[in-house]
Amino acid sequence: MSELVPGGNMPLPSGAVTVRVPGPFDVSALITDDGGKVRGDADFVFYNQPSAPGARLDGDTLTVEPPGLRSGATRITVVVSSAEPGTPLGRLPAPTLLVTAPGGRPLARFAPPPPRQETVLLLAEIYQRAGGWKLRALGQGYTDGLAGLARDFGVDVIDETAGAGAQTAPGPAAPPTPARQTSHGRAPSPAPPIPATRPPSSSLPPVPTAPPPSPDPGGFLGLVNSARAAAGSPPVVLDARLTSAAHAHAGAMAAAGLLGVEGGDGVSVHQRVTAAGYAYLTIGEHLVSGPPTPSEFVRYCLGDERTRRTLCDPAFTQAGVACVGDGRSADMYWTALWARPLTPDGLKRTAAEVVELTNRERGRAGLPPLATDPLLAGAAQAHSADMVARAFYSHTSPEGTQPWDRAAAAGARRRSIGENIACGQRSPAEVVEGWMNSPGHRANILKTDFTHIGIGFAGGGPAGTYWTQLFGA
């Protein structure tokens, strides 16, 4: 069974798959095309409407049969909210997504970072790619309940007015400058939503082709570095490649009218960074809609602990920012990118830190440290780079090669080979912690037979960062 992290993806077998979220939650699903919009009321599956072509909800379990979906459907987004409307998910046990194949075989488990004030969480999406279907872990939240979520997926929301004999009327107008980030949003709606689908447009407008914004729009750099200085972090400088990637992604989000790490064109923000010619050692992003000016955008990013931590992270040395307006709704879509460029010394330090942290865990278990093997390291680095270049995440390459095949091809002559992979983690500490929290990965790290290790790291694929540990005995 695969342990997924935010942004991680995996292929799905043919036939029906089930996703289950045990606990005090309501599970919902939105069925969309590549543009990210529902086509009608039947595309919203929830407790009051538990079935649609190809999707069926039974309590906490959603069964999806991709071949049975309506014509044109290419994506099913799995959503979880509190069974008590309006209750922040941070007050409940952390939700965990369990995915099973036909026959009940476990496929994947996804435990997103614990939510806080969010009332709705996008847990995962099942999407069509290259003729097959895949599962991607998300972990993106909304603080305004299903109302804010539905609006972003093309649903007009009507709120029920309390009191006997009250008439149903459109929900309250949004604040003048609402801001929604991939894990944050507007203030909660006063009543549970009733979805009513707006008629679909005939097509999405093209991605805006306006020239990129000025190198430092609205004094963005000064605002950011002032906040970083107050937090004791060094300043960042703007990089033209990051700014170009930010503009491309903001334009793709504006064209689709939807926030997301992956734009409506199917390209992730991290892939845009790589396409712009920027190789990074670590990266962070803010994806936000609403603020009309750079100063309000920065103020919004500083208003929450998690987003403030990204903006002030001392690991970042360079940045890029852009905003593009959605001509239909007048919303502004922002992408801010924060990164440290990849250097040979930086890559060596990152690999060495992963080895050090791994050996620290072995020491705690009374095991001897692993020695670095340059041949295993070469095979591990090649696999991480290959996962980025060909946008897959698996121990098995598209040609069918396995870890031991890659080790042998690199010249390693070990009698036993093991491999851990991960994607999306931003630091050596985060990736080793994630492996140690997963029984299968932990078993490799603490295997008594292993004597050597090699580390691979590459950035730029759909999930951002790709890590490989290759063990040998």
Side-chain angles (χ1 to χ4, degrees):
M1 181 172 68
S2 297
E3 294 279 347
L4 297 178
V5 298
N9 64 76
M10 61 175 292
L12 292 175
S14 58
V17 296
T18 62
V19 295
R20 177 172 175 258
V21 186
F25 308 108
D26 281 333
V27 178
S28 308
L30 290 146
I31 301 168
T32 65
D33 54 21
D34 287 334
K37 301 295 184 182
V38 298
R39 182 177 292 180
D41 287 342
D43 285 348
F44 194 5
V45 178
F46 65 119
Y47 52 87
N48 277 342
Q49 185 171 272
S51 65
R56 183 178 68 260
L57 180 63
D58 184 10
D60 61 5
T61 302
L62 177 73
T63 302
V64 177
E65 297 184 71
L69 294 170
R70 65 157 172 83
S71 175
T74 58
R75 187 172 304 179
I76 305 97
T77 303
V78 181
V79 180
V80 67
S81 58
S82 170
E84 293 294 330
T87 301
L89 292 171
R91 299 180 185 174
L92 305 175
T96 299
L97 182 76
L98 305 173
V99 186
T100 57
R105 177 173 60 90
L107 282 179
R109 176 181 181 273
F110 173 50
R116 298 175 61 196
Q117 76 275 25
E118 295 92 337
T119 54
V120 170
L121 200 64
L122 276 63
L123 274 181
E125 62 182 6
I126 296 170
Y127 64 102
Q128 189 176 41
R129 184 61 50 84
W133 289 85
K134 302 180 74 174
L135 172 78
R136 177 185 291 113
L138 297 176
Q140 299 174 5
Y142 286 73
T143 60
D144 49 355
L146 290 175
L149 171 73
R151 291 187 185 100
D152 276 1
F153 280 79
V155 176
D156 286 331
V157 175
I158 296 174
D159 289 331
E160 286 185 336
T161 305
Q167 294 182 345
T168 301
T177 57
R180 182 178 288 120
Q181 200 249 1
T182 52
S183 58
H184 302 278
R186 293 191 288 263
S189 297
I194 300 174
T197 310
R198 73 165 61 95
S201 56
S202 58
S203 63
L204 287 173
V207 174
T209 57
S214 62
D216 187 9
F220 171 80
L221 195 61
L223 295 166
V224 165
N225 283 333
S226 176
R228 288 176 65 87
S233 298
V236 293
V237 297
L238 291 173
D239 182 271
R241 296 162 297 177
L242 290 175
T243 298
S244 175
H247 185 262
H249 196 69
M253 291 192 300
L258 184 66
L259 287 173
V261 172
E262 183 177 285
D265 55 2
V267 180
S268 80
V269 65
H270 308 108
Q271 290 172 305
R272 298 187 208 280
V273 172
T274 300
Y278 191 99
Y280 55 83
L281 195 61
T282 185
I283 194 166
E285 67 281 333
H286 285 117
L287 309 176
V288 178
S289 69
T293 66
S295 61
E296 292 192 34
F297 168 71
V298 172
R299 187 181 306 117
Y300 172 76
C301 293
L302 292 172
D304 177 87
E305 180 183 353
R306 182 161 48 178
T307 54
R308 181 171 61 253
R309 188 165 58 243
T310 297
L311 188 147
C312 297
D313 192 330
F316 299 136
T317 59
Q318 297 178 331
V321 65
C323 65
V324 174
D326 178 352
R328 297 160 298 181
S329 65
D331 285 344
M332 299 300 293
Y333 284 81
W334 291 83
T335 298
L337 297 169
W338 318 89
R340 176 183 288 271
L342 179 70
T343 64
D345 287 345
L347 184 58
K348 289 179 182 178
R349 286 194 301 270
T350 296
E353 189 173 348
V354 173
V355 173
E356 178 186 354
L357 292 169
T358 299
N359 281 333
R360 187 180 302 172
E361 297 293 344
R362 288 177 63 87
R364 289 171 178 164
L367 299 172
L370 302 172
T372 300
D373 183 331
L375 297 178
L376 292 178
Q381 182 61 35
H383 187 55
S384 287
D386 190 32
M387 287 191 290
V388 168
R390 296 198 282 176
F392 74 96
Y393 177 64
S394 175
H395 294 288
T396 305
S397 75
E399 294 81 19
T401 58
Q402 301 288 343
W404 42 89
D405 301 321
R406 295 188 288 272
R413 295 293 180 263
R414 301 286 170 187
R415 61 180 175 81
S416 177
I417 292 292
E419 183 180 78
N420 286 343
I421 59 174
C423 65
Q425 294 83 358
R426 305 298 173 91
S427 69
E430 187 179 337
V431 73
V432 173
E433 180 183 7
W435 281 326
M436 288 300 294
N437 288 334
S438 167
H441 299 90
R442 179 188 177 93
N444 271 341
I445 289 175
L446 301 182
K447 188 171 182 177
T448 56
D449 290 350
F450 288 145
T451 57
H452 290 76
I453 190 173
I455 303 299
F457 167 84
T465 53
Y466 292 74
W467 307 78
T468 302
Q469 278 183 318
L470 199 57
F471 304 91

